[in-house]
Structures are given as C-alpha cells and as structure tokens.
Amino acid sequence: MQFVGAGFQMLGTIGLGVWAGLKLDEWQQNENPIWTIVLSLFAIGAALYLFIRQLPKQP
C-alpha cells in the first residue's frame, strides 16, 4: 500500500512526457516521433529517479 502513490506518480510523469512529446512532434510536423521518444525516455528516467529517492534508507 505504501507504493501505490509512487505508482500513480510514475504514471503521471511518464504520461506527461509522452503527451508533451506528441504535442511537440505535432507542432513541428515531424515525420518521425523524435520528441515523443526523447521525452518518453527522459520521463521514464525521471520517474525512476523520483521512485528511488522515495525508498526508505537502510542504515
């Protein structure tokens, strides 16, 4: 139950990255989804970083 909120946070972070990438690709009229790929990977990395920071520290 402790990590349910972290899961939703990861979902939101990745979803925001994908959405922003899609909008940038649409705005620039790219044939290949360059921004979608780049921002999706960045969002996955950011979500993992935030998740790891939330883990309890063990002495």
Side-chain angles (χ1 to χ4, degrees):
M1 213 51 196
Q2 176 183 0
F3 297 113
V4 172
F8 283 117
Q9 180 182 2
M10 290 178 75
L11 182 65
T13 303
I14 295 168
L16 183 64
V18 170
W19 178 80
L22 286 170
K23 290 298 177 184
L24 277 172
D25 283 331
E26 181 182 310
W27 178 63
Q28 291 185 347
Q29 299 175 351
N30 293 337
E31 291 182 19
N32 297 324
I34 303 296
W35 284 111
T36 304
I37 293 169
V38 169
L39 290 179
S40 297
L41 292 174
F42 178 77
I44 290 169
L48 286 174
Y49 173 75
L50 292 172
F51 176 72
I52 290 170
R53 285 199 48 184
Q54 289 180 354
L55 292 175
K57 294 190 167 114
Q58 305 226 349

